[in-house]
């Protein structure tokens, strides 16, 4: 295995994804370079990854560095700590109080993925791609054109490529459902 691609199943590629030869030309360290979606300024988007070697794939998928307190915590914006504590208590599972996230932002999966990769010694690299997440409530909706993004509380993509692709797709979806 000399090239691995990870992609969420709810991703929609609006243009062809970069090819292996593209990464062969630009990867500086094939065993450590991990290419992720350039969707956020400083975090590692977990929507897709291009892994130019088996060694890079092992770094990306490894759980070893994930279960360290300086990397991951229990929490995040969608976790109700009191409910989780009740379930864990009923199952006689004790969690060290220091393992809970200090705030919601600390529990974002993108932040955790970046910390995990850096702790493992990976080089987190960014690639702009015309791919979007489809969020299907009653009709499909692009992630970056969702109300949370438009209202400003969620992090906005740092590239016009996914944002414009998403807005165009969202318009087409809405036209098709009218």
């Amino acid at each position: 295995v000399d090239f691995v691609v990870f992609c969420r199943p709810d991703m929609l590629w609006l243009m062809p994804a970069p090819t292996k030869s593209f990464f062969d030309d630009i990867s500086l360290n094939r065993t450590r370079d991990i290419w992720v979606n350039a969707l956020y300024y400083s975090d590692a988007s977990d929507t897709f990854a291009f892994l130019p070697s088996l060694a890079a794939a092992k770094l990306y998928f490894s759980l070893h560095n994930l279960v360290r307190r300086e990397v991951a915590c229990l929490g995040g914006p969608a976790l109700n700590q009191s409910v989780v504590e009740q379930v864990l208590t009923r199952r006689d599972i004790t969690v060290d109080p220091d393992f809970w996230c200090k705030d919601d932002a600390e529990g974002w999966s993108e932040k955790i993925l970046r910390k995990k990769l850096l702790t493992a010694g990976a080089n987190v690299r960014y690639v702009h791609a015309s791919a979007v997440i489809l969020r299907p409530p009653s009709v499909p909706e692009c992630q970056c054109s969702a109300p949370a993004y438009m209202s400003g509380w969620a992090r906005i993509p740092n590239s016009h490529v996914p944002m414009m692709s998403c807005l165009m797709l969202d318009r087409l979806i809405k036209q098709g459902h009218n």
Side-chain angles (χ1 to χ4, degrees):
V1 175
D2 65 347
F3 190 74
V4 176
V5 177
F6 163 76
C7 183
R8 287 175 48 151
D10 58 352
M11 292 295 298
L12 176 66
W13 291 84
L14 302 173
M15 295 183 63
T19 63
K20 178 186 177 307
S21 62
F22 172 82
F23 294 99
D24 287 344
D25 291 343
I26 64 171
S27 285
L28 303 174
N29 183 337
R30 295 190 62 211
T31 62
R32 296 267 171 214
D33 285 354
I34 292 178
W35 295 88
V36 296
N37 191 354
L39 199 56
Y40 305 112
Y41 281 113
S42 61
D43 300 325
S45 176
D46 55 2
T47 54
F48 65 79
F50 295 96
L51 312 162
S53 70
L54 182 58
K58 286 180 178 180
L59 288 175
Y60 187 83
F61 293 109
S62 170
L63 294 179
H64 177 73
N65 287 309
L66 183 61
V67 292
R68 297 169 60 175
R69 177 59 187 105
E70 63 271 17
V71 172
C73 59
L74 288 175
L79 184 91
N80 183 327
Q81 183 174 339
S82 62
V83 170
V84 172
E85 286 174 331
Q86 290 172 14
V87 170
L88 294 174
T89 301
R90 281 196 303 266
R91 295 190 174 151
D92 292 324
I93 298 171
T94 306
V95 175
D96 182 334
D98 289 339
F99 208 72
W100 291 100
C101 296
K102 306 288 185 259
D103 59 55
D104 282 350
E106 189 183 14
W108 283 93
S109 61
E110 297 87 356
K111 286 185 179 295
I112 291 171
L113 177 59
R114 181 172 170 81
K115 285 190 233 175
K116 173 193 143 177
L117 295 174
L118 293 176
T119 299
N123 300 321
V124 178
R125 308 268 188 228
Y126 297 94
V127 62
H128 295 278
S130 192
V132 295
I133 298 173
L134 290 179
R135 306 256 190 221
S138 57
V139 296
E141 179 176 61
C142 277
Q143 174 197 18
C144 59
S145 64
Y149 281 83
M150 294 308 171
S151 65
W153 73 264
R155 291 172 290 171
I156 301 297
N158 68 349
S159 166
H160 69 283
V161 176
M163 181 60 102
M164 291 307 296
S165 299
C166 199
L167 292 173
M168 288 170 40
L169 178 65
D170 196 46
R171 185 174 176 195
L172 289 172
I173 290 169
K174 287 180 176 142
Q175 285 175 350
H177 279 83
N178 287 336

